[in-house]
Amino acid sequence: AVKNRKLQAEEKDLRTQEPVLAITALAVIGVVYLLFCMVQISYLFTGGFTLPAEYSYAGFARQGFFQLLFVSALNLLLVLVTLSFFRENRALKIMLAFLSVCTYIMIISSACRMFLYIQAYQLTRLRVLVLFVLLVLAVLFAGVIRNIFQKSFPLFRYSVAVVTVLYLVLSFSHMDTWIASYNIAHDQTSYLYELSTDASGPMLKAAKEGTAEAEMTRAYFSMNEYRQEEHTGIRKFNVSEF
């Protein structure tokens, strides 16, 4: 018990910095975030999802995604450092919550960019993973906002649980199946031969209906037959291929 009280005292000693300093610094950052969010709303939400003239779909999507990762990491770091070293203050909590809400706007903006990209060039595994990362970030920041107003909230355990559960959902979702179905429905078959055996159902259906090129269908099944021959033994056993 004495040890626990000592640890609690040491933890309290860390939160000795004046909140006004953090509020001032975060206010400047908040203005920048607000301007950035207004630009995103102007281009994407009120602009009918149109691109600036100087951007391509690929460049617009990639730039937005990496900007989001940087800002999200910075936001998370700011929140954790502020909560760890500055005394509790209602205005400070509101400022941190505002920065987190701005991050949500950036997440939505990045998702809109990626949907524009997918609309133009269809689905790939990488584009699905980008959307998955955006979903993970959105759920994680819900925990961050909860932690801002409730210090006892187990943010680390929450984060581990969120990443684990969402990763398992993605792993068991048969991603290649709905990638193939989406691309075939939008007459885009150039990527399909790279997909795993999970896509064999939509590929076979498309071959029978004549909605996929015969050459592409043969390339897909030949490629997966070759992969299956390589995956022999218990160590390389694959349920989908079996």
Side-chain angles (χ1 to χ4, degrees):
V2 175
K3 184 177 180 181
N4 289 336
R5 285 196 297 270
K6 183 178 179 181
L7 290 175
Q8 292 175 359
E10 291 177 352
E11 183 179 355
K12 291 179 181 178
D13 290 339
L14 295 176
R15 299 168 59 86
T16 58
Q17 300 300 316
E18 179 59 45
V20 175
L21 297 175
I23 293 172
T24 303
L26 292 176
V28 175
I29 298 174
V31 171
V32 176
Y33 281 12
L34 181 61
L35 292 175
F36 182 82
C37 290
M38 290 175 63
V39 171
Q40 302 310 303
I41 293 173
S42 174
Y43 273 123
L44 290 174
F45 305 147
T46 62
F49 298 100
T50 58
L51 294 181
E54 65 274 15
Y55 280 98
S56 66
Y57 281 104
F60 194 58
R62 283 197 299 266
Q63 186 184 48
F65 180 64
F66 288 115
Q67 285 177 347
L68 171 71
L69 286 181
F70 174 77
V71 173
S72 298
L74 178 61
N75 231 7
L76 183 59
L77 181 63
L78 284 173
V79 172
L80 295 180
V81 170
T82 303
L83 293 177
S84 299
F85 294 100
F86 291 86
R87 295 198 302 269
E88 287 195 24
N89 181 278
R90 183 176 179 83
L92 181 58
K93 290 181 178 181
I94 294 174
M95 182 62 66
L96 292 173
F98 170 75
L99 296 182
S100 297
V101 170
C102 286
T103 303
Y104 269 109
I105 295 176
M106 296 173 191
I107 289 174
I108 295 171
S109 172
S110 185
C112 290
R113 295 165 187 256
M114 188 50 58
F115 282 125
L116 285 172
Y117 197 15
I118 292 171
Q119 184 179 0
Y121 301 112
Q122 314 313 324
L123 279 175
T124 65
R125 290 195 193 108
L126 182 59
R127 292 161 201 167
V128 172
L129 292 177
V130 166
L131 294 176
F132 172 76
V133 171
L134 296 178
L135 175 62
V136 171
L137 285 174
V139 180
L140 287 179
F141 266 96
V144 170
I145 294 176
R146 176 75 179 274
N147 187 243
I148 291 172
F149 295 99
Q150 183 183 345
K151 189 176 184 298
S152 60
F153 180 74
L155 182 60
F156 177 77
R157 283 182 291 174
Y158 170 83
S159 300
V160 172
V162 165
V163 173
T164 301
V165 170
L166 291 181
Y167 176 77
L168 289 175
V169 170
L170 178 68
S171 298
F172 287 96
S173 66
H174 300 287
M175 177 171 57
D176 285 4
T177 301
W178 36 277
I179 289 177
S181 298
Y182 181 89
N183 287 4
I184 291 171
H186 291 80
D187 298 322
Q188 177 58 265
T189 60
S190 59
Y191 174 75
L192 298 180
Y193 78 95
E194 299 182 21
L195 299 178
S196 69
T197 47
D198 280 350
S200 59
M203 287 295 295
L204 184 60
K205 180 180 178 181
K208 291 180 178 180
E209 295 177 353
T211 54
E213 298 178 3
E215 182 178 353
M216 177 58 62
T217 305
R218 286 195 297 269
Y220 166 79
F221 284 106
S222 296
M223 180 65 70
N224 276 282
E225 185 178 0
Y226 171 76
R227 291 171 183 163
Q228 189 172 6
E229 291 174 354
E230 292 293 314
H231 292 177
T232 57
I234 296 178
R235 188 175 65 86
K236 294 184 178 181
F237 177 78
N238 182 283
V239 175
S240 177
E241 291 179 356
F242 177 76

